[in-house]
Amino acid sequence: YYMKNVKFLENLLEFKDIKELYKKSDVLIMPGYGGYFIMAYLEAFLYGLPIVALDTYGSNEFVIDGKTGFLVNPSENAPINVPEYPTNTRSPNFVKIIKEGDRKIVEDLVKRCSVLIENKKLREKMSIACQKAFDNKYSYNIKINKLKKIFEKALK
């Protein structure tokens, strides 16, 4: 019954539409293997959305399991413990493995999403943690101040 509120978007959205989608959402689910999701993580944090993601390339640098979301172990079949990962995620072999699917990952994703759907207090607690993480680590002002310090140090 969870699928009644799930939408799969296949086309690129305009930024104004993305903002509205974030505002209407409670959770961001990132079940992918590529390491190209950093902006989505930051956007989710800005809007206070806990993230459920596969624990792959760089995810654990943003998603603190149990605090700002949940991390799910990737498939044992996916070749992610190789030097060419994550650039191999578009290789025919990698795509073939991912398309075959992994029941355990789907079950783990459902379990973690269900916790957030059913436990509003936890979802709200994680939402606050996400917004704090954004404000304290990733906001524009934080980045500008860090960059300013780097330049000041370099000029001395």
Side-chain angles (χ1 to χ4, degrees), residues 47-122:
Y47 288 93
L49 299 181
I51 301 168
V52 177
L54 291 185
D55 190 4
T56 60
Y57 187 79
S59 295
N60 61 9
E61 293 179 32
F62 295 92
V63 181
I64 308 304
D65 193 46
K67 185 172 181 175
T68 58
F70 291 119
L71 293 170
V72 171
N73 289 329
S75 174
E76 293 178 6
N77 301 324
I80 64 169
N81 293 320
V82 295
E84 54 274 2
Y85 180 77
T87 58
N88 67 336
T89 58
R90 293 182 186 223
S91 72
N93 182 51
F94 197 100
V95 171
K96 179 180 177 265
I97 290 168
I98 299 310
K99 284 186 174 181
E100 288 172 0
D102 186 322
R103 180 179 287 286
K104 180 166 179 8
I105 289 179
V106 173
E107 289 171 357
D108 289 347
L109 287 166
V110 168
K111 184 189 308 181
R112 294 304 193 180
C113 290
S114 295
V115 168
L116 290 173
I117 291 167
E118 295 168 6
N119 189 335
K120 184 177 180 181
K121 285 189 179 204
L122 178 61

Side-chain angles (χ1 to χ4, degrees), residues 21-68:
L21 192 57
Y22 278 124
K23 288 177 186 178
K24 293 177 183 176
S25 299
D26 293 314
V27 177
L28 179 68
I29 305 168
M30 300 294 287
Y33 282 88
Y36 314 108
F37 309 127
I38 293 170
M39 286 307 298
Y41 292 151
L42 295 176
E43 291 167 351
F45 278 11
L46 174 65
Y47 288 93
L49 299 181
I51 301 168
V52 177
L54 291 185
D55 190 4
T56 60
Y57 187 79
S59 295
N60 61 9
E61 293 179 32
F62 295 92
V63 181
I64 308 304
D65 193 46
K67 185 172 181 175
T68 58

